[in-house]
Amino acid sequence: MEKEMWGGGGVTVSAVSFLSQMGNLLKVLTCTELEHGPNFFLDFENAQPTEGEREVWNQVNSVLQDSENILFGLHSYKGAGQEIRDAIQNPNDLMLQERAWNLVCPLVIKLKKFYSFSLRLEEALKSLLVSLTCPPLTPTQHLEREQALAKQFAEILHFTLRFDELKMRIPAIQNDFSYYRRTISRNRINNMNLDIENEVNNEMANRMSLFYAEATPMLKTLSNATTNFVTENKTLPLENTTDCLSTMASVCKVMLETPEYSSRFSSEDTLLFCMRVMVGVIILYDYVHPNGAFNKSSKIDMKGCIKVLKDQPADNVEGLLNALK
């Protein structure tokens, strides 16, 4: 669908030449033309891939299309707390042991699915970083010209913070997995072979244990992936990556604090999406940049970003402010 631009007497995007749009993102970042009415914003709702973006977009989309199922699976995770307590308190009751074990095994398979998805998400992020930081374009030019990839980058961050917010509310995950590992170890001593070890062997269990031990495991995965991307691409200036992150944070902040922009979103959910993305890129920047995001030399306006969050309803931003802390 064609979308009307602000100002210009109802001129549509299709009638505006490519050259006339170049540099508009910079106007958003510097805010020098806000008094004239905004004429560009990063379209998180409707951006579609160009032919040049299509290959990477398809690759990343194959991962993102599973993200809602992952969140649904995590949201519906109930745990086996009572059954585990009963089994521990009655170690000689084989029926209680079996009941706890039969409940825990499917949960561990589910936890493996979440962990495996984090590995796919890590690869998707690396593909996007390659596209959004490669010379000769600047990060600003990449975001301006490759909005569909920028939107996918934002969707990965949005998913990540939602996953971690849910995970923090489910202490049963670590309790269930600890019980699973203790039981496996005990049965191994007794020379018992269990079918589930074909699904979750000792090496996989070790990796999963490290993953779930993190307060925010998905964010930790993305942070490590971004740091590794910088380390592995020694010929790529660090600024290409950090500027991509700081630019995205600046775009989100301006869109949130400027009614002319935020009113163009068709759904209030997009405002929360924008907030999560802003917080996500700030945290990644803080991990990757040697001086962090909170240093005076940071290219991110931290005071402005925090003010934008505090201006929102408390229920929407409490978790995001905690993530920044």
Side-chain angles (χ1 to χ4, degrees):
M1 290 181 62
E2 292 181 347
K3 207 169 169 64
E4 288 196 351
M5 306 291 288
W6 285 86
V11 180
T12 61
V13 171
S14 60
V16 178
S17 71
F18 176 75
L19 288 175
S20 71
Q21 291 189 44
M22 296 301 293
N24 282 337
L25 182 54
L26 193 57
K27 296 171 189 175
V28 175
L29 299 177
T30 59
C31 304
T32 55
E33 296 199 14
L34 288 181
E35 66 269 24
H36 304 303
N39 56 9
F40 180 89
F41 82 139
L42 194 47
D43 195 349
F44 283 145
E45 292 182 331
N46 303 303
Q48 295 297 317
T50 62
E51 202 53 44
E53 297 170 271
R54 179 69 63 179
E55 183 179 351
V56 173
W57 188 91
N58 284 340
Q59 177 192 339
V60 175
N61 188 57
S62 69
V63 177
L64 283 172
Q65 66 186 6
D66 293 332
S67 62
E68 287 301 321
N69 282 336
I70 294 293
L71 289 173
F72 178 79
L74 183 60
H75 188 266
S76 60
Y77 190 98
K78 298 302 180 188
Q82 185 59 54
E83 290 77 10
I84 289 172
R85 283 191 293 275
D86 291 343
I88 291 172
Q89 290 167 6
N90 301 277
N92 297 319
D93 190 325
L94 291 181
M95 187 180 75
L96 290 178
Q97 306 305 312
E98 282 189 17
R99 187 170 70 170
W101 181 249
N102 290 336
L103 269 175
V104 164
C105 284
L107 293 173
V108 169
I109 299 299
K110 184 180 279 193
L111 293 177
K112 180 191 175 185
K113 181 181 176 183
F114 301 158
Y115 169 71
S116 298
F117 185 77
S118 78
L119 303 181
R120 295 173 61 203
L121 204 67
E122 182 178 357
E123 292 305 310
L125 178 71
K126 287 182 179 178
S127 296
L128 289 174
L129 286 173
V130 169
S131 296
L132 294 173
T133 62
C134 63
L137 298 184
T138 66
T140 296
Q141 290 170 327
H142 275 298
L143 289 172
E144 188 172 34
R145 299 181 188 187
E146 298 161 17
Q147 290 216 6
L149 297 186
K151 179 174 180 280
Q152 286 185 319
F153 185 42
E155 287 170 340
I156 286 177
L157 291 167
H158 184 239
F159 163 82
T160 295
L161 267 68
R162 289 169 71 199
F163 182 96
D164 287 347
E165 285 170 8
L166 280 173
K167 186 264 179 184
M168 283 192 280
R169 299 177 199 158
I170 311 175
I173 287 176
Q174 284 177 275
N175 295 335
D176 294 346
F177 199 65
S178 294
Y179 177 79
Y180 167 78
R181 300 203 71 189
R182 288 197 306 272
T183 305
I184 284 285
S185 298
R186 187 167 62 247
N187 288 335
R188 197 176 289 126
I189 291 170
N190 296 330
N191 294 317
M192 290 176 62
N193 293 317
L194 300 171
D195 290 341
I196 192 171
E197 287 200 84
N198 297 327
E199 288 273 355
V200 183
N201 60 28
N202 196 48
E203 182 187 352
M204 172 62 74
N206 286 337
R207 295 203 303 265
M208 288 171 61
S209 184
L210 290 172
F211 177 77
Y212 288 110
E214 295 287 342
T216 53
M218 283 291 177
L219 193 55
K220 180 67 172 176
T221 297
L222 294 196
S223 300
N224 288 342
T226 308
T227 303
N228 291 339
F229 172 79
V230 170
T231 304
E232 292 163 7
N233 293 273
K234 297 186 186 301
T235 58
L236 186 71
L238 172 65
E239 290 74 23
N240 284 39
T241 303
T242 55
D243 285 358
C244 175
L245 300 174
S246 61
T247 299
M248 182 79 87
S250 298
V251 171
C252 290
K253 180 180 82 74
V254 171
M255 289 198 295
L256 285 166
E257 69 187 1
T258 309
E260 292 93 334
Y261 284 99
S262 56
S263 64
R264 294 179 67 184
F265 295 138
S266 63
S267 168
E268 286 190 12
D269 289 343
T270 310
L271 292 174
L272 184 54
F273 177 94
C274 213
M275 285 184 263
R276 281 202 178 103
V277 172
M278 182 179 73
V279 169
V281 288
I282 288 171
I283 294 172
L284 289 187
Y285 183 99
D286 194 54
Y287 266 94
V288 175
H289 199 285
N291 297 324
F294 296 85
N295 189 278
K296 287 183 179 179
S297 64
S298 170
K299 292 187 178 180
I300 296 177
D301 174 14
M302 287 303 305
K303 286 184 179 178
C305 291
I306 291 171
K307 181 181 183 303
V308 164
L309 291 175
K310 288 186 173 179
D311 287 344
Q312 309 299 322
D315 289 346
N316 289 347
V317 298
E318 182 181 358
L320 297 177
L321 288 169
N322 288 337
L324 287 178
K325 290 175 184 176

